[in-house]
Each structure stands twice: as structure tokens, then as C-alpha cells.
Amino acid sequence: MKMNNVLRFIEDLETKCKEYGVKLVLYDMKFIESDGDKFGGWFDDDNKELHCAFPDKIQTKYVELLVHESCHMDQWIENTKYWTIERRNNSLTEIWKILKGEKVNKLKYHLRNVQMMEAECEKMSIQKIKDYDLGINIERYAMKANSYLLFYSVLVETKKWTDPILNKIEEEKDVQYFSVDKILDKINEVGY
């Protein structure tokens, strides 16, 4: 990582949050506990808050997480296509219901909305990593992003929050660069 560029990204993020009235909360911990669940972070457009685990010693995975969550804020600011579709349909909330054992109507529809919104966010994240020249390995980040997108299909099947399937993607070495089309083809292969 390029520490000076990371610090510039964080300063710019703080400025942007102030500009849009968003409360930025960085936790000096490895994860955030909320209602008995553990999270790396989230952007809450209703309360205008961006929360992110960000231990005092700056590490790549937490910078990647902050970039990702900041891009959800960017989606909200820019009113992007897939952010708007997901929010209008409250699809992420619907997907979370299955973790509580609740039945979800139009599950495949909501799954697709969430995956497209996350894919849009990941593309923005990769661009931000490049724009800030953060020194993050784009190829590796893209593999993790693809794993995260596929993870939602696994979540729907298992109805459990499980570790993403990054190792499987890395073993196959079939996803070298982030491609929404490629990952959505994989999702369609399994029937979603």
C-alpha cells in the first residue's frame, strides 16, 4: 500500500462526508458488533452514516473495506442505477430476512438487485483504488469482489452467513479481472 495516498483518500472521504452531511465512524477494531452480528462496515443512507472497522494500524483489508463502503455512499450521492433499484425495492432487507428464517417473496428478483448493486459498487471501488493509486493489488481485489458477489447466491442457498468462496475462485484462476458479465454468467449457471 502507498500510505500517503491512503491518508489522502481518508482525508478526501472525511471532506466528502462533511459536504453531504454524512457521519463517518471508524472503529479501532477488527469488526463491528450490532444486534449480535459482526460486520466490517456499512453505509446507512437513511441516517446518513458510514461505519467501518478500521484498526489503528492501517492494513490493506480495512482500506479495501473503507473504499467499498465509501463507494456505497458514492452510489447514494450519484443516485446510480443499481443503487436506486435496490433501495426502491428494499432488496437487501428482503435478502437478510432469510437469515432469520423468514420466507421471502420474489427471492431471485431481490438477489439479482443486491448482486447488481454490489457489482456496481465493486466497479466503482476498483476505479477509486486506481484513481487514488492506493497500491492495492487490483487483480486480487477483483477476485475478492467476485467472490463476494457469488457469496450472495450461497447465502440464499444455505440461509447462513458463511465465508465467501474466494479460495474456489483463486483455485480455478478463471476470474483474473473484475467483469460483471462474467460473474453474472456464473450466477446464472447455478440458477439465479
Side-chain angles (χ1 to χ4, degrees):
M1 266 191 322
K2 297 181 179 178
M3 201 54 66
N4 286 337
N5 294 359
V6 169
L7 295 175
R8 184 170 54 88
F9 156 66
I10 294 169
E11 287 174 10
D12 288 352
L13 177 60
E14 288 172 337
T15 300
K16 193 171 197 175
C17 285
K18 285 179 187 172
E19 179 182 349
Y20 288 94
V22 173
K23 180 180 178 182
L24 175 62
V25 184
L26 299 180
Y27 299 80
D28 183 11
M29 51 186 61
K30 294 180 179 182
F31 56 84
I32 306 163
E33 287 193 58
S34 178
D35 297 327
D37 293 316
K38 296 177 182 178
F39 300 94
W42 65 86
F43 173 68
D44 177 348
D45 60 326
D46 292 327
N47 295 309
K48 294 173 93 175
E49 296 177 346
L50 195 163
H51 296 260
C52 204
F54 203 82
D56 190 39
K57 182 181 176 200
I58 296 177
Q59 299 169 43
T60 301
K61 68 181 178 180
Y62 297 107
V63 173
E64 291 172 347
L65 177 62
L66 185 57
V67 166
H68 175 87
E69 296 305 333
S70 78
C71 286
H72 280 311
M73 183 180 76
D74 293 344
Q75 287 177 297
W76 168 71
I77 290 169
E78 297 170 22
N79 201 27
T80 62
K81 177 180 178 178
Y82 294 108
W83 175 266
T84 303
I85 291 169
E86 186 282 321
R87 295 305 295 144
R88 186 176 345 132
N89 292 285
N90 213 14
S91 293
L92 189 56
T93 300
E94 290 299 308
I95 293 296
W96 285 115
K97 285 181 180 179
I98 66 170
L99 294 174
K100 297 176 185 172
E102 297 177 29
K103 184 174 178 356
V104 175
N105 294 324
K106 301 188 335 187
L107 181 59
K108 289 181 184 180
Y109 173 77
H110 291 298
L111 174 63
R112 177 59 67 112
N113 288 345
V114 169
Q115 286 173 315
M116 292 303 292
M117 181 266 297
E118 290 293 351
E120 181 179 69
C121 181
E122 294 296 7
K123 287 173 80 172
M124 293 170 77
S125 297
I126 287 171
Q127 190 59 53
K128 189 174 280 190
I129 289 167
K130 290 177 182 177
D131 290 347
Y132 276 95
D133 189 23
L134 297 176
I136 292 172
N137 182 320
I138 295 291
E139 198 171 296
R140 175 125 175 97
Y141 183 88
M143 283 189 227
K144 289 196 271 187
N146 286 332
S147 172
Y148 182 59
L149 293 174
L150 284 173
F151 162 73
Y152 277 99
S153 295
V154 173
L155 176 98
V156 165
E157 278 299 310
T158 64
K159 296 175 181 39
K160 294 179 186 173
W161 187 267
T162 58
D163 290 331
I165 53 177
L166 176 60
N167 292 339
K168 180 71 172 146
I169 288 176
E170 286 180 330
E171 287 170 16
E172 293 177 11
K173 303 241 185 255
D174 63 349
V175 185
Q176 294 181 358
Y177 296 96
F178 183 75
S179 165
V180 175
D181 294 333
K182 277 186 179 180
I183 203 64
L184 291 178
D185 286 346
K186 286 188 169 295
I187 290 165
N188 286 330
E189 284 175 19
V190 295
Y192 292 99

